[in-house]
Amino acid sequence: MIGDIINIIKDYWLLLLIGQYPNGPLGGLANTLILSALSIALAFPVSILLALARLSKWGLLRWPVTALVYITRGVPLLMLILWSYFLVPLLTGADVPSFYTMLTTLVIYQGAFLSEVVRAGIVALGPGQMDAARALGHSYMGAMRFIILPQALYNMIPSMISTFVATIKDTTLGYVINVPDLTFAASQVNNQLLTQPFQVFLILAAVYYAICWSLTHVANVIERRIARKRAGVVSRQSPASLAQVKVITEQP
Amino acid sequence: MITSASSPQQQTIRLSNVCKSYGNYPVLKNIDAEVARGEVVVICGPSGSGKSTLIRTINRLEEISSGSITLDGQDIHAEMRTKDLNLLRSRIGFVFQNFNLFPHLSVVENVTISPIRVKGVAPDAAHEKALNLLDRVGLADKAGAYPGQLSGGQQQRVAIARALAMEPPVMLFDEPTSALDPEMVGEVLAVMKGLAAEGMTMLCVTHEMGFAREVADRIWFIDAGQILEVASPEEFFKNPRHPRAQRFLTDLRH
């Protein structure tokens, strides 16, 4: 059993690492890491913009984004992926590589989820911080940037990491539209071996676990470093203030 | 230190016919009043009477339904660009019941962030001024600490220093001592008395009747959204004219 696994790695490590590259598209673990990193790096700023839009006083900004969040939350990611894969070429006639279809879908999907985390972080601060910033003359966006978001994002690090980890795991769904990632490479290996699916997919699981665990570990280190910088004080708001959802919708 | 308070320009807060309601429920009814330059006004009244709402309308943390509020003749609730409103707000210091210090910033950063980000003061100059202000409220040694490490009274004194850093000609206090343990009330009131003595124009919502008696030039008694009585402290505490004020003072003594 362990011997099988070692043999598989020995024979196929290059395929699992970079796919068919350089004879074909880059794939394997390298592509999974690139797809994950890009998804997270793009979904994070998108989520902040979506959260701010959902808290905006302008309905024109608030309603479309609210609709987007509700729809993405209510539809399985797999359906969204298949839709974008089949619909976008049909509507535009453009031949979009599956990698970009996957990336865009993931950014929208995880951006919507993450925006709810960010919004919760902002709302949970309570109205007092925004009041204080406005009373001192800060603009709404200035207050967000220097007062509200630094606290809200910090408080939400654990939830954000969960979403980031989910993003990494969701890249595996690219398999259904032939994104050449690690899962795709593993199934190629499995198709060649035919008799050792358990061993092949155990390797796959172990690699994903290692990636997600590393991210969690890095996040914990960052969180501790910020906590130390803030002298471990960040006083938690009373539960009562959580109820005041009125907050931070933009005021003139 | 608070040079702007003693500027020669005559400035006042004037409230004319201010009304505010939440739906059909009126919170402020036809408020007519004014604060002269250098004057200390204490607003008192039973809870739920609209005191806090009233003071929050003066820097437009709350909107009003009708009427007008002016600072130096400038209508605070007029249609204006947000930039102008922000500028206007920065000239009205506000101290909150719950301090609302920024917990992710150190004490000195709490005091410097607004001069730097709003007024564009150079960081070095802002820092130096902040240390002066902290010294004034007796907290020079806490400059590097974080709000979570301070007592309530210390936090409120930092909040006062933070407001003063914008050099506002007017300071508003919304029950600044109500969230404090009794033994910390004095240190905050002492800072406020110092400000009053320097000629700062102040409007305070407070239940500290000792402070009102000693420091206030005038008292506004407010109940159910109306100013029922405006009087000097001596008059108000000896001979309150309005029956509601009489009952309020009797209740306080019990």
Side-chain angles (χ1 to χ4, degrees), chain B residues 135-180:
Chain B
D135 188 37
R136 234 177 84 99
V137 299
L139 290 170
D141 55 327
K142 298 287 185 190
Y146 279 77
Q149 297 165 314
L150 304 184
S151 72
Q154 291 171 329
Q155 290 194 49
Q156 193 61 296
R157 285 186 280 154
V158 173
I160 294 173
R162 179 177 72 172
L164 290 175
M166 296 301 281
E167 303 184 319
V170 176
M171 288 281 285
L172 309 177
F173 296 82
D174 185 9
E175 305 204 24
T177 57
S178 299
L180 298 177

Side-chain angles (χ1 to χ4, degrees), chain B residues 19-240:
Chain B
C19 298
K20 178 180 177 63
S21 47
Y22 293 118
N24 285 327
Y25 180 74
V27 198
L28 298 176
K29 298 178 209 160
N30 301 315
I31 301 279
D32 268 303
E34 55 178 272
V35 185
R37 188 168 71 79
E39 196 177 27
V40 177
V41 170
V42 164
I43 306 176
C44 64
S47 33
S49 57
K51 308 182 296 283
S52 286
T53 308
L54 176 62
I55 203 167
R56 285 168 63 89
T57 60
I58 293 174
N59 71 347
R60 207 166 160 177
L61 283 177
E62 299 276 352
E63 297 290 330
I64 58 177
S65 308
S66 62
S68 76
I69 301 174
T70 57
L71 172 69
D72 298 345
Q74 195 179 356
D75 190 346
I76 292 166
H77 287 264
E79 284 284 325
M80 66 176 93
R81 294 180 313 171
T82 38
K83 215 177 204 172
D84 296 328
L85 177 59
N86 295 337
L87 197 72
L88 194 57
R89 277 198 177 119
S90 72
R91 290 174 45 216
I92 305 172
F94 200 100
V95 176
F96 296 85
Q97 181 176 354
N98 296 317
F99 334 130
N100 289 339
L101 290 182
F102 306 134
H104 62 303
L105 300 176
S106 70
V107 163
V108 71
E109 286 167 342
N110 263 276
V111 181
T112 57
I113 187 167
S114 304
I116 293 173
R117 297 293 175 191
V118 177
K119 280 177 133 182
V121 176
D124 287 349
H127 191 84
E128 197 184 325
K129 184 169 163 57
L131 292 180
N132 282 333
L133 284 169
L134 287 173
D135 188 37
R136 234 177 84 99
V137 299
L139 290 170
D141 55 327
K142 298 287 185 190
Y146 279 77
Q149 297 165 314
L150 304 184
S151 72
Q154 291 171 329
Q155 290 194 49
Q156 193 61 296
R157 285 186 280 154
V158 173
I160 294 173
R162 179 177 72 172
L164 290 175
M166 296 301 281
E167 303 184 319
V170 176
M171 288 281 285
L172 309 177
F173 296 82
D174 185 9
E175 305 204 24
T177 57
S178 299
L180 298 177
D181 292 339
E183 75 267 26
M184 293 169 187
V185 169
E187 60 192 67
V188 172
L189 291 181
V191 170
M192 291 169 65
K193 281 176 198 167
L195 273 179
E198 282 175 34
M200 174 64 83
T201 308
M202 292 164 61
L203 197 54
C204 318
V205 172
T206 182
H207 295 290
E208 294 297 328
M209 289 304 133
F211 175 81
R213 203 187 296 259
E214 192 182 333
V215 182
D217 297 305
R218 276 191 301 163
I219 291 181
W220 299 354
F221 177 76
I222 175 169
D223 185 39
Q226 281 176 302
I227 295 186
L228 298 181
E229 182 158 352
V230 175
S232 71
E234 303 88 67
E235 278 172 15
F236 182 75
F237 288 108
K238 268 197 198 122
N239 294 312

Side-chain angles (χ1 to χ4, degrees), chain A residues 28-229:
Chain A
L29 177 61
N31 212 27
T32 289
L33 290 177
I34 292 172
L35 183 58
S36 303
L38 280 178
S39 302
I40 291 172
L42 294 173
F44 183 54
V46 163
S47 73
I48 294 176
L49 294 178
L50 292 181
L52 292 181
R54 280 208 68 186
L55 293 168
S56 169
K57 62 172 178 174
W58 293 308
L60 215 60
L61 218 54
R62 198 173 59 240
W63 288 114
V65 173
T66 307
L68 175 77
V69 169
Y70 273 72
I71 290 169
T72 24
R73 267 198 313 209
V75 175
L77 177 56
L78 192 56
M79 304 302 120
L80 281 182
I81 294 169
L82 291 172
W83 273 354
S84 349
Y85 185 65
F86 291 117
L87 269 182
V88 173
L90 212 62
L91 293 177
T92 63
D95 182 20
V96 186
S98 59
F99 179 87
Y100 293 104
T101 306
M102 190 62 202
L103 177 62
T104 314
T105 315
L106 266 182
V107 167
I108 293 171
Y109 186 80
Q110 297 297 354
F113 269 84
L114 206 50
S115 78
E116 286 298 90
V117 173
V118 174
R119 191 173 68 96
I122 293 173
V123 170
L125 280 185
Q129 292 288 307
M130 184 52 104
D131 279 354
R134 297 315 297 275
L136 285 160
H138 290 266
S139 66
Y140 180 79
M141 289 315 283
M144 274 291 170
R145 181 170 157 209
F146 298 113
I147 311 295
I148 306 294
L149 284 176
Q151 298 181 61
L153 295 181
Y154 169 75
N155 291 344
M156 285 294 136
I157 285 178
S159 303
M160 287 196 297
I161 294 310
S162 297
T163 314
F164 290 164
V165 167
T167 308
I168 295 176
K169 292 193 284 191
D170 284 346
T171 60
T172 56
L173 290 174
Y175 175 69
V176 299
I177 57 170
N178 295 326
V179 175
D181 69 344
L182 181 60
T183 311
F184 188 81
S187 75
Q188 277 182 316
V189 173
N190 185 46
N191 288 343
Q192 287 182 27
L193 294 172
L194 286 174
T195 55
Q196 296 174 321
F198 180 77
Q199 288 85 337
V200 171
F201 289 111
L202 189 65
I203 296 173
L204 188 62
V207 174
Y208 278 111
Y209 182 84
I211 300 172
C212 296
W213 181 87
S214 313
L215 177 63
T216 313
H217 183 71
V218 169
N220 288 341
V221 170
I222 293 173
E223 192 179 1
R224 267 201 302 276
R225 188 172 296 172
I226 298 176
R228 212 174 313 135
K229 188 185 153 233

